[in-house]
Amino acid sequence: MHKLTDLNPETRSADATGANIERLKALFPAAVKDQQVDFAVLRQLLGDATEDHQERFGLSWHGKDQARQLALSPSSGTLRPRPDDSLDWDSTANLVLEGDNLEVLKLLQNSFGGKVRLIYIDPPYNTGRDFVYRDAYKDSIQNYLEMTGQVEAGRRTSSHQESGGRLHTDWLNMMYPRLRLARELLREDGIICISIDDGEAPYLRVMADEIFGAENFICVFVWKSKSGGANDSRHVAVDHEYLVTYGRDAEAAVFNRDTAAQVSTVYNRSDEKGEYALDRLDKQNLGYSERLDFPIVGPDGTTYRVRHRNSQQKVARWRWSRETVARRYDELVFRNGCVYTRNYRKDGAVPRSLLVDERFGRTRSGKTELTQLMTEQVFDNPKPTRLIGHLIDIATGAADIVLDFFAGSGTTAHAVMQRNAATGSQRRFILVQLPEPLSPDSRHTRAAAAYCDRIGRPRTIAALTRERLHRAAATIRAQHPVSDVDLGFRAFRLDDSNIRTWDAAAQDLEQELADAVDRVKPGRSEADLLYELVLEFGLDLGAPVARRCISGKQVHAAGDGTLLVCLDPAVNQADAVKLAHGIAAWRRELAPAGDTTCVFRDSACVDDAARINLSSILRQQGIARVYSI
């Protein structure tokens, strides 16, 4: 039986550096020796024989190297379940995670890496108000505990403690590692949309080009966030915000049609395939290409050519290449001296980058919507669900995962529930929100703090996020009483690991040895340990966990039986035999697709005989991966 320690890969979040080295090794094996990169060899293999640093286009700021390393460093924290803060814990697959999103994004890598279809975030705009994300490069968990007041010296820091470029530097250092980690969570066809205003938009674009690749930039949606007012503006009344949008791989990204858009095309013809309009094969607005300027001979022998404005200026070209014309010749329509294709009617239109209609909502409508739900105004500028709902409609399928790691008031989850209820879809949401304190002494948070007091909730933004989702679920359930969509969520909270690590430098070595007998920290429950193991082994936090009593011991099955866990504090020799056979029988019943890992509490076995019997029988029954914590 192998002991799980903080040195085991299974007990740490994804090793981004190691994964990158493995990718390099696959491409350039000569440049990687003993898991170390020989950068001189790598440069030569890439055709660069010089050692001198060459200036390149990009965005540089103080702390960027540390921010990059921060994204690569693993987390030793965990997420502790909070069923009392949840809604429909046993049946829901949605997640609401409370904690610093940097640490949480690291913890999600094993379970959700490459699985998220849409990420929408509305980060701090860096407009002069404080934001609390003060990342410590050595110990992010300790930093989180300080920020949330769980240890002494908890404090907020201002993004405007600047000299020179400090204003932008703090914000960039905060965003860079989070976007790095977010990229790894996206599917190959995944999309990220980042709300921002004019202040940081230029820097965000250049930074995101580096993280996601300039070739994966899709567009900037321009959202009309205000309507009317602002006549006291100094220069120009700014009525818009941006949604900067990238794909994990823009070539793989697919957008659904905007079914609510007004379509101006007149479909005045029809055949066995449906209604259609004729669309000219030659276009003047696509840019001239000599390769796409060639004669096409019609069925009657007539030669058709691209129509330019005049003989001196070539500006038009065919939309199809010679090869495509030859392959799809039967689809062409020749009439009135022009070549056409049939444009069949489709529902809706290609999504547009200008989001100016009232159907996308305004900041005012988002505030009104939330005030009606909460009965009081507790957030200043929440996004409207109509805006996020539009993104969900055009960028996701019926069973995709939507992530928001600056959850704020919870608009994204609310919009997912609304769209699911309206269409019968099964999209899932994952929210991450820092439990940022709400102070009754601050004019910006005074009303929200008082509201939390009245409803008996902690004075944090995360508590208000969960409250909104409880109320939104009740409202949607009343509007769709026969719908069986998932309107619940499982709540978790970031904390340090439930398992003690050996401290060789401890002053009280005798106490350290005594603590090592049972490595579980005081006050940590069986559920805490179970879900830490679920995270460590890369299983879904939202998936059901089955339970069965075997030989008087509670056994948990996660991942359809790929992880079996028994955390009973006492297993004697007789128990061990019955328990091992019972676990093996249950595994055969579950029939997991892959290998099974079994985990027990290290201090549970009363003697070596019980430990040996337990692990030996399990191995004989085909369960080779047996661990203790």
Side-chain angles (χ1 to χ4, degrees):
M1 189 180 296
H2 304 289
K3 185 177 291 188
L4 286 174
T5 70
D6 57 315
L7 300 178
N8 289 84
E10 293 90 350
T11 63
R12 304 182 69 83
S13 58
D15 181 4
T17 302
N20 289 336
I21 290 175
E22 287 298 323
R23 294 188 189 105
L24 272 178
K25 186 176 181 180
L27 292 171
F28 308 106
V32 180
K33 300 173 183 177
D34 299 325
Q35 289 302 103
Q36 298 295 318
V37 179
D38 188 327
F39 290 99
V41 173
L42 181 60
R43 277 193 293 268
Q44 291 173 356
L45 292 172
L46 293 173
D48 181 7
T50 65
E51 293 289 337
D52 297 330
H53 173 72
Q54 298 181 5
E55 293 181 348
R56 293 179 175 85
F57 176 79
L59 180 64
S60 182
W61 66 89
H62 179 69
K64 182 178 180 180
D65 287 343
Q66 287 180 307
R68 184 184 289 114
Q69 289 301 315
L70 189 59
L72 295 173
S73 63
S75 173
S76 59
T78 191
L79 294 169
R80 298 176 64 186
R82 299 172 67 93
D84 291 344
D85 290 333
S86 306
L87 179 63
D88 300 332
W89 173 279
D90 290 328
S91 59
T92 186
N94 300 315
L95 303 174
V96 177
L97 313 176
E98 180 182 306
D100 180 356
N101 51 21
L102 179 66
E103 289 299 302
V104 175
L105 287 172
K106 292 178 183 181
L107 292 171
L108 293 179
Q109 296 295 320
N110 286 340
S111 298
F112 294 98
K115 295 181 180 179
V116 176
R117 180 67 183 276
L118 171 65
I119 297 176
Y120 169 77
I121 56 172
D122 186 11
Y125 282 7
N126 203 16
T127 57
R129 295 270 296 277
D130 291 351
F131 62 86
V132 300
Y133 295 91
R134 179 176 58 85
D135 295 324
Y137 297 109
K138 291 185 178 179
D139 191 346
S140 297
I141 287 287
Q142 181 68 14
N143 176 60
Y144 162 73
L145 296 175
E146 288 185 9
M147 286 192 303
T148 55
Q150 297 181 61
V151 297
E152 295 297 324
R155 65 185 182 90
R156 296 162 63 92
T157 59
S158 171
S159 61
H160 274 229
Q161 297 173 351
E162 71 156 323
S163 59
R166 178 71 182 274
L167 164 64
H168 301 296
T169 293
D170 285 352
W171 190 86
L172 291 168
N173 280 330
M174 185 271 292
M175 289 295 295
Y176 188 90
R178 290 165 172 83
L179 292 180
R180 278 277 183 193
L181 292 163
R183 179 185 179 277
E184 300 307 312
L185 292 172
L186 285 173
R187 287 177 11 179
E188 285 301 307
D189 60 349
I191 295 160
I192 183 169
C193 295
I194 308 166
S195 279
I196 201 67
D197 66 2
D198 286 303
E200 296 293 349
Y203 308 103
L204 174 63
R205 278 292 312 276
V206 180
M207 178 173 61
D209 277 350
E210 176 181 327
I211 294 171
F212 295 96
E215 69 278 7
N216 293 315
F217 170 72
I218 291 176
C219 75
V220 174
F221 290 102
V222 181
W223 172 52
K224 183 174 174 57
S225 58
K226 299 177 183 177
S227 55
N231 289 322
D232 58 347
S233 299
R234 181 181 178 187
H235 297 300
V236 175
V238 178
D239 287 345
H240 67 276
E241 295 180 21
Y242 307 108
L243 288 89
V244 178
T245 305
Y246 285 78
R248 173 72 182 262
D249 179 350
E251 291 295 321
V254 177
F255 281 83
N256 304 319
R257 297 179 73 85
D258 181 0
T259 56
Q262 297 294 323
V263 181
S264 59
T265 303
V266 177
Y267 298 95
N268 54 2
R269 292 174 170 80
S270 63
D271 60 15
E272 66 279 1
K273 294 182 180 179
E275 295 179 327
Y276 68 89
L278 292 179
D279 191 3
R280 281 181 56 158
L281 188 65
D282 58 333
K283 294 288 184 180
Q284 295 188 358
N285 61 349
L286 298 179
Y288 180 72
S289 170
E290 185 175 356
R291 185 177 64 85
L292 298 173
D293 184 1
F294 54 88
I296 298 176
V297 179
D300 61 356
T302 302
T303 299
Y304 295 81
R305 293 186 176 275
V306 171
R307 291 191 174 187
H308 301 289
R309 290 195 182 99
N310 53 63
S311 58
Q312 288 77 35
Q313 185 181 18
K314 293 184 175 182
V315 295
R317 60 151 168 110
W318 300 120
R319 289 185 286 114
W320 291 1
S321 66
R322 290 178 184 269
E323 295 76 18
T324 302
V325 168
R327 188 175 70 255
R328 302 176 63 180
Y329 187 83
D330 292 343
E331 299 177 32
L332 300 177
V333 177
F334 300 87
R335 48 187 301 137
N336 301 326
C338 296
V339 183
Y340 298 88
T341 60
R342 293 179 175 87
N343 176 15
Y344 288 95
R345 181 189 291 276
K346 303 180 183 69
D347 291 335
V350 173
R352 304 296 176 183
S353 62
L354 289 177
L355 308 178
V356 297
D357 297 345
E358 284 283 353
R359 70 188 179 96
F360 304 115
R362 305 278 188 261
T363 300
R364 181 191 65 247
S365 58
K367 183 184 295 186
T368 301
E369 177 182 38
L370 186 55
T371 300
Q372 291 175 345
L373 185 68
M374 307 290 276
T375 69
E376 295 182 33
Q377 181 180 327
V378 292
F379 283 94
D380 289 336
N381 298 298
K383 292 294 187 289
T385 55
R386 282 182 281 170
L387 173 67
I388 313 305
H390 174 67
L391 298 178
I392 293 167
D393 284 342
I394 65 173
T396 68
D400 287 336
I401 298 175
V402 180
L403 167 66
D404 183 349
F405 55 88
F406 285 98
S409 68
T411 300
T412 298
H414 190 168
V416 169
M417 292 191 291
Q418 284 181 335
R419 301 312 302 144
N420 283 350
T423 62
S425 303
Q426 297 177 324
R427 299 177 186 90
R428 297 173 55 188
F429 62 78
I430 303 174
L431 297 191
V432 186
Q433 176 56 43
L434 185 76
E436 183 179 345
L438 299 169
S439 172
D441 299 324
S442 167
R443 66 184 180 88
H444 296 297
T445 63
R446 185 180 300 124
Y451 181 82
C452 288
D453 291 344
R454 282 193 290 275
I455 64 173
R457 297 285 186 269
R459 291 177 181 169
T460 68
I461 290 180
L464 287 178
T465 306
R466 294 190 295 268
E467 179 66 20
R468 178 194 185 156
L469 298 189
H470 277 278
R471 293 173 179 245
T475 300
I476 294 170
R477 191 169 283 116
Q479 295 168 344
H480 302 271
V482 298
S483 174
D484 60 352
V485 298
D486 184 357
L487 299 177
F489 61 89
R490 289 184 177 183
F492 291 81
R493 183 171 185 176
L494 178 68
D495 209 328
D496 54 5
S497 173
N498 300 294
I499 304 169
R500 290 191 185 94
T501 58
W502 172 257
D503 183 5
Q507 293 183 346
D508 190 345
L509 188 57
E510 184 177 348
Q511 182 60 46
E512 189 70 15
L513 287 168
D515 290 342
V517 174
D518 186 356
R519 297 172 54 237
V520 179
K521 293 178 180 176
R524 302 302 173 98
S525 68
E526 188 169 303
D528 291 335
L529 289 167
L530 172 64
Y531 281 99
E532 179 163 359
L533 292 168
V534 167
L535 266 179
E536 289 171 353
F537 286 98
L539 302 179
D540 192 333
L541 283 174
V545 175
R547 296 169 180 82
R548 178 172 290 186
C549 184
I550 300 175
S551 186
K553 314 297 180 185
Q554 186 85 317
V555 181
H556 309 268
D560 297 321
T562 57
L563 177 64
L564 295 171
V565 180
C566 178
L567 299 171
D568 195 279
V571 178
N572 59 36
Q573 188 171 349
D575 292 334
V577 174
K578 295 177 182 177
L579 182 60
H581 284 292
I583 288 175
W586 194 21
R587 177 186 179 274
R588 288 192 295 273
E589 184 182 325
L590 293 168
D595 293 335
T596 292
T597 299
C598 247
V599 182
F600 301 90
R601 191 186 288 256
D602 188 60
S603 60
C605 293
V606 297
D607 53 32
D608 289 340
R611 182 177 288 103
I612 292 170
N613 282 342
L614 192 59
S615 57
S616 298
I617 294 171
L618 288 173
R619 286 190 174 87
Q620 291 168 6
Q621 297 293 325
I623 303 176
R625 295 162 55 89
V626 183
Y627 293 98
S628 64
I629 56 172

